[in-house]
Each structure stands twice: as structure tokens, then as C-alpha cells.
Amino acid sequence: RKEVEQDPGPFNVPEGATVAFNCTYSNSASQSFFWYRQDCRKEPKLLMSVYSSGNEDGRFTAQLNRASQYISLLIRDSKLSDSATYLCVVNVGPYSGGGADGLTFGKGTHLIIQP
Amino acid sequence: DTGVSQDPRHKITKRGQNVTFRCDPISEHNRLYWYRQTLGQGPEFLTYFQNEAQLEKSRLLSDRFSAERPKGSFSTLEIQRTEQGDSAMYLCASSFTNQQFFGPGTRLTVL
């Protein structure tokens, strides 16, 4: 089983619609959770961290369910510029030096916003 | 630009040659990471430094790969005797907290 699993899509969504992505992770010791955005042939860019209490940043809402080991991202009022690959990311390691501190990425979900 | 920088941005080499990539992290970041990304996949962790100490290496990092961060600032990643399977984007990231920021990557093509 892959450590972080995402539906690769593509998700074709009309502009203005709401779209939701999910991912699951296998390591219950995971401590930090993120969504990154990656445009074609560019580096991943941090979109937002994900907390158990849920967090919102403008049109983006992220949620973490530790019991189900499940992370979600909701995009409201989608824009053409939201077209990208969205990477679900977890960090197992303690932030204390040593140990596993590298990020584990899913394969990404490809989103296409259509005019 | 105060972000993470990487050099070169593109490298084409012949199988069997050695290549070296450089990463300059954000200046106040003490942690530096190397990842590899192939088409259709998410980045895969290779290795990690805290200051000059290399604290973790992935099993993906074969004996042909070596990374250094001699003064706790910039880092180099060397691949010896390159193989076609080494063709990928090599990404560097740095952090001070648990949030990592990525450089633009070095795209390696091994012919």
C-alpha cells in the first residue's frame, strides 16, 4: 500500500464550481500534513498546512481526520488559475532533528478548470 | 530573489558521466532536503541535512549518489556513473519550521 494515496484525476470542473479532493495516508505516526500545488514543469509550492480543527484560506478549506487517516481540500468558486496538480503531503518525522523528516508526497490530483 | 535557488536548471549528460548539482537554500533555513521527481509521480525524498549534518538518507539514494553541505549553507548532490534511470527532476527544499520551500529544480536527462 502506498503511503499517501490520491485520485490522480483529471478532474474537469467548470469555472465557478466547487471541487473537493481527498487523500489517505497509511502511517498513523504522521505528524504534519500539507497541500502543495504544482504547475506543469514547475516546483511544488506550499498551498496550506492542514490541521485537525480544519483551516481555511480564502476559497480553500483543508480538513484532517486523524482517526480515518484522511485529508481533504475544498476549493470554492474555482478560477481558471486554479488549474494545476494538487499534492497531498505528510511528514512522519518529529521536528527535532534526526529521524524521518522528509516529506512523503502523493502522486497528485490533476485539476482542470474549464471556462 | 530570496527563495531557494538551484543550478544548473537543466543538465544533459551521457550515460556513465558524473554530474553535480548545487542548491542554495533560503538564508536563515537550517534544514535542507533533496528530492527526486519523475513524470507522473510526486517528489520522492532522497536526503536531509540539518546545518552541515546529513541526518537521513532514503533507500532510493544508491551508492552512486552523494550529497554534502560542508558549511551548513549551500549543498551539492553528485551522481556518479549516471544511468538512464537517473533522468528526473532533482528538487531541493529548505525549511526553518515544518514547512518546506522548494527551489525550481534541476532537470537531468541521461542519454
Side-chain angles (χ1 to χ4, degrees):
Chain A
R1 180 183 174 188
K2 274 194 68 66
E3 293 188 57
V4 179
E5 293 201 54
Q6 297 181 249
D7 181 344
F11 283 48
N12 289 282
V13 174
E15 191 175 7
T18 296
V19 59
F21 306 138
N22 307 315
C23 91
T24 57
Y25 61 95
S26 61
N27 192 331
S28 59
S30 299
Q31 298 195 1
S32 304
F33 307 88
F34 309 93
W35 284 101
Y36 276 74
R37 170 194 168 128
Q38 187 169 29
D39 294 294
C40 187
R41 301 182 76 82
K42 299 284 189 180
E43 74 273 23
K45 292 189 176 176
L46 179 64
L47 181 65
M48 58 199 304
S49 300
V50 188
Y51 305 109
S52 297
S53 55
N55 49 304
E56 187 173 313
D57 183 2
R59 298 181 294 108
F60 299 83
T61 301
Q63 199 83 39
L64 166 66
N65 184 321
R66 283 188 182 271
S68 302
Q69 297 180 198
Y70 171 98
I71 305 164
S72 66
L73 177 68
L74 183 78
I75 306 175
R76 290 180 299 278
D77 187 24
S78 53
K79 313 290 186 190
L80 294 175
S81 58
D82 294 334
S83 298
T85 296
Y86 290 84
L87 298 160
C88 178
V89 186
V90 306
N91 185 338
V92 174
Y95 181 63
S96 59
D101 206 41
L103 298 176
T104 300
F105 285 78
K107 287 187 176 183
T109 296
H110 189 40
L111 173 65
I112 301 170
I113 305 298
Q114 297 175 327
Chain B
D1 188 346
T2 57
V4 179
S5 62
Q6 292 187 243
D7 184 70
R9 296 290 304 276
H10 303 273
K11 178 70 177 179
I12 300 174
T13 191
K14 292 183 179 179
R15 190 174 52 188
Q17 298 295 304
N18 298 344
V19 294
T20 300
F21 310 142
R22 176 179 169 126
C23 170
D24 286 88
I26 295 170
S27 59
E28 63 268 26
H29 287 183
N30 61 343
R31 292 170 173 242
L32 186 148
Y33 308 79
W34 285 98
Y35 294 83
R36 180 175 68 186
Q37 186 174 24
T38 53
L39 196 63
Q41 304 294 317
E44 295 174 295
F45 170 74
L46 293 178
T47 190
Y48 145 60
F49 292 85
Q50 179 164 303
N51 300 312
E52 66 275 10
Q54 188 173 17
L55 296 183
E56 189 187 3
K57 292 193 286 188
S58 162
R59 63 184 181 278
L60 293 175
L61 211 66
S62 77
D63 292 344
R64 297 184 297 105
F65 287 68
S66 62
E68 293 182 345
R69 194 183 183 197
K71 297 182 180 179
S73 55
F74 73 92
S75 175
T76 56
L77 177 69
E78 181 183 15
I79 309 174
Q80 295 182 326
R81 304 181 303 282
T82 53
E83 302 173 354
Q84 287 184 324
D86 297 332
S87 295
M89 174 76 86
Y90 289 84
L91 292 159
C92 175
S94 71
S95 74
F96 186 68
T97 65
N98 66 346
Q99 295 183 348
Q100 296 182 23
F101 296 89
F102 284 80
T106 295
R107 185 170 295 281
L108 173 66
T109 302
V110 182
L111 302 176

